[in-house]
Amino acid sequence: MIDLRSDTVTRPTEAMRAAMASAPVGDDVLGDDPTVRRLEERVAGLLGKEDAVYVPSGTMANQIALRVHTRPGDRVVMDADSHIRVHESGAPAALAGVTIAPVAGDLGVFTPDQLAEAAPGPSPDFPPGLFDPTTLVTMENTHNEAGGTIWPLESMQSIQATASRLGLGVHLDGARLWNAAAATGIDLATYAATADTVNVCFSKGLGAPIGSALAGPQEVIDRARWFKKMYGGGFRQAGIIAAGALHAVDHHRERLAEDHANARRFAEAVADIDTLSIDLAAVHTNLVYFDVANAQQFVDRLRAEGVDSLAVGPDRIRVVFHLDVSDDDTVEAIGALRKVAGG
Ligand SMILES: Cc1ncc(COP(=O)(O)O)c(C=O)c1O
């Protein structure tokens, strides 16, 4: 089976497993797991931040970020299709107690004017205390629901400038920031400089089994460690999995370009088939979304041909290219696609 459902389905490579098996470990809750610490320092360095904290999931990294930047009742501005809003199980309301002001981005990207409009402050007609205070804006790069799309650096910088004028914190959900950096050649730290805190995931395109990191200023990450413990994220000999993440950071970033090339090849094959529709301009990295009359039926038929994909809506399908999908697999998947679509 060629599994294109997600880049989270990858299995650790032999070399990764060897690194994990021999990792020195301690007790992460007591702060003395040397491999976790190495990973945190490495990621903080790559992102140009003072410190980073290793957590079990991207969801936890994002939710801790919301908690450290806000107080219950605050308003947070983000694109309406953000992972934080749509796919994190209601956590912003349940854990941080915030409301989200969703804005309609273009491929996930919104403008400084949209941000300012969604974050009303006191004015001559509206005295302080009338609106819930907006304290945070979040960006997602690459943007999952929009198709693995990349926020242009200049757009991020202009959001940061407006956030600074409005006195808001900035969080970047960079679960797949590795892909954005690989596709554009822009340094991770340059992207990360547009935000106060950044989440990066090791368990997606990088192919590690578990974990994400939240990076930021020292005092923010010190506070984040408290919420990690509070949310049940204290994982004792976590060095075993941190070693897989370190291996992924060191060995799997270069090859992300191969996933992007395979995604593009598949997307172009979709575009050639009359019964399918796709916005090729939205295919920037390793995710491909396309439309078909009956998504679930199409997914079932693709599965019968040995290709697993995901029906993400009544007429929408997602396929994702990753470490466990070779060039040959991509050619085979395109063959299955053509057979099922009759293209
Ligand atoms: C953009 C984005 N942010 C956050 C997450 C959450 O990561 P996790 O599944 O590790 O909680 C995902 C997961 O796919 C994602 O795509």
Side-chain angles (χ1 to χ4, degrees), residues 57-59 62 83 88 140 144 173 175-176 199 201 203-204:
S57 69
T59 298
N62 284 333
H83 195 279
E88 299 192 1
E140 185 176 312
N144 181 343
D173 179 359
R176 295 184 181 80
N199 157 39
C201 294
S203 60
K204 305 201 163 61

Side-chain angles (χ1 to χ4, degrees), residues 35-240:
T35 309
V36 168
R37 203 50 213 140
R38 252 181 71 214
L39 174 65
E40 291 174 339
E41 284 167 0
R42 176 109 173 82
V43 170
L46 280 172
L47 295 173
K49 299 295 185 196
E50 284 176 359
D51 200 2
V53 55
Y54 183 45
V55 294
S57 69
T59 298
M60 189 181 284
N62 284 333
Q63 295 306 322
I64 288 174
L66 293 195
R67 190 70 182 78
V68 292
H69 284 288
T70 64
R71 290 186 297 191
D74 284 0
R75 180 189 301 208
V76 180
V77 179
M78 65 186 71
D79 173 69
D81 294 329
S82 296
H83 195 279
I84 292 177
R85 175 167 184 257
V86 181
H87 294 296
E88 299 192 1
S89 314
L95 301 182
V98 294
T99 40
I100 291 174
V103 295
D106 179 11
L107 295 182
V109 177
F110 51 89
T111 64
D113 285 349
Q114 285 178 296
L115 167 58
E117 200 181 326
S123 67
D125 287 338
F126 298 108
L130 196 68
F131 295 113
D132 40 329
T134 306
T135 46
L136 180 68
V137 56
T138 76
M139 297 181 272
E140 185 176 312
N141 194 5
T142 64
H143 194 290
N144 181 343
E145 283 268 321
T149 48
I150 299 170
W151 267 77
L153 181 63
E154 309 70 47
S155 303
M156 299 180 80
Q157 288 165 337
S158 61
I159 291 296
Q160 181 187 38
T162 301
S164 161
R165 179 171 63 75
L166 299 172
L168 316 182
V170 182
H171 172 65
L172 170 59
D173 179 359
R176 295 184 181 80
L177 193 63
W178 319 105
N179 294 83
T184 60
I186 294 171
D187 202 39
L188 289 163
T190 304
Y191 278 125
T194 64
D196 302 303
T197 52
V198 184
N199 157 39
V200 286
C201 294
F202 310 111
S203 60
K204 305 201 163 61
L206 289 193
I210 300 166
S212 299
L214 180 69
Q218 190 63 61
E219 63 181 307
V220 174
I221 299 308
D222 287 347
R223 221 167 118 70
R225 289 184 193 284
W226 173 40
F227 291 117
K228 168 184 171 180
K229 180 69 171 46
M230 185 192 291
Y231 289 178
F235 40 10
R236 303 288 179 174
Q237 281 72 46
I240 291 177

